[in-house]
């Protein structure tokens, strides 16, 4: 660890980040109750240097630990105004604690975090099964081709 290792500052979640997290945790899955408690205490830091909207989540000691799998068994597909998929959202859990909210884009990086109303949530029926990433699922959808 050199002198110049900069740890991104932890900060409160923005209103959109919190709404997104709450929206995902609105779904029922194993261990979600503890994650909801953690979410109320969580702080965020920038999860990625590339300027995308992924965040790392930090929860204080003393919160209840969750048995939820990672990534959590609820995945979001971000859609644009026309309803076309443009990205995806995954929630990561490490050692029973919220660890990150990953927001990926299909093409152009998303400049801002999408509000919950722009996300189609899908519960993964069996989180322990091999999961095709939403990326592959979205890619395999027929896409309208611009002529």
């Amino acid at each position: 660890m050199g002198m110049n290792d900069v740890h991104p500052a932890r900060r409160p979640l923005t209103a959109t980040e919190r709404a997104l997290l709450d929206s995902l945790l609105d779904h029922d899955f194993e261990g979600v109750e503890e994650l909801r408690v953690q979410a109320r205490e969580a702080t965020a830091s920038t999860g990625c240097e590339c300027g995308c909207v992924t965040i790392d989540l930090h929860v204080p000691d003393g919160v209840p630990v969750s048995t939820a799998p990672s990534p959590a068994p609820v995945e979001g597909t971000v859609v644009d105004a026309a309803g076309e998929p443009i990205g995806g959202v995954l929630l990561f859990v490490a050692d029973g604690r919220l660890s990150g909210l990953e927001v990926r884009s299909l093409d152009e990086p998303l400049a801002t975090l999408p509000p919950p109303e722009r996300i189609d949530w899908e519960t993964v029926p069996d989180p322990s099964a091999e999961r095709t990433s939403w990326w592959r699922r979205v890619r395999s959808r027929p896409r309208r081709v611009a002529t």
Side-chain angles (χ1 to χ4, degrees), residues 86-88 103-110 134-135 139:
I86 55 170
V103 183
R104 292 183 272 188
S105 57
L106 284 174
D107 299 308
E108 288 300 302
L110 302 173
W134 68 268
W135 183 272
R139 284 282 184 220

Side-chain angles (χ1 to χ4, degrees), residues 51-143:
C52 71
V53 289
T54 291
I55 54 170
D56 287 333
L57 293 168
H58 312 275
V59 290
D61 293 334
V63 294
V65 172
S66 171
T67 53
S70 183
V74 177
E75 296 178 8
T77 298
V78 185
V79 295
D80 64 15
E84 290 288 299
I86 55 170
V89 180
L90 287 177
L91 177 67
F92 289 93
V93 179
D95 303 319
R97 294 161 180 272
L98 296 167
S99 69
L101 192 60
E102 182 175 310
V103 183
R104 292 183 272 188
S105 57
L106 284 174
D107 299 308
E108 288 300 302
L110 302 173
T112 55
L113 199 67
E117 50 273 18
R118 275 286 171 84
I119 296 180
D120 292 335
W121 296 109
E122 190 181 333
T123 304
V124 179
D126 179 5
S128 61
E130 192 52 49
R131 288 158 72 175
T132 343
S133 73
W134 68 268
W135 183 272
R136 285 202 289 278
R137 288 203 303 274
V138 171
R139 284 282 184 220
S140 66
R141 288 185 191 176
R143 295 189 67 164

Side-chain angles (χ1 to χ4, degrees), residues 18 21-22 25 34-42 59 98:
R18 180 155 302 288
L21 187 56
D22 288 346
L25 294 175
E34 292 81 2
L35 295 182
R36 288 172 186 152
V37 174
Q38 293 179 18
R40 291 200 283 274
E41 312 260 330
V59 290
L98 296 167

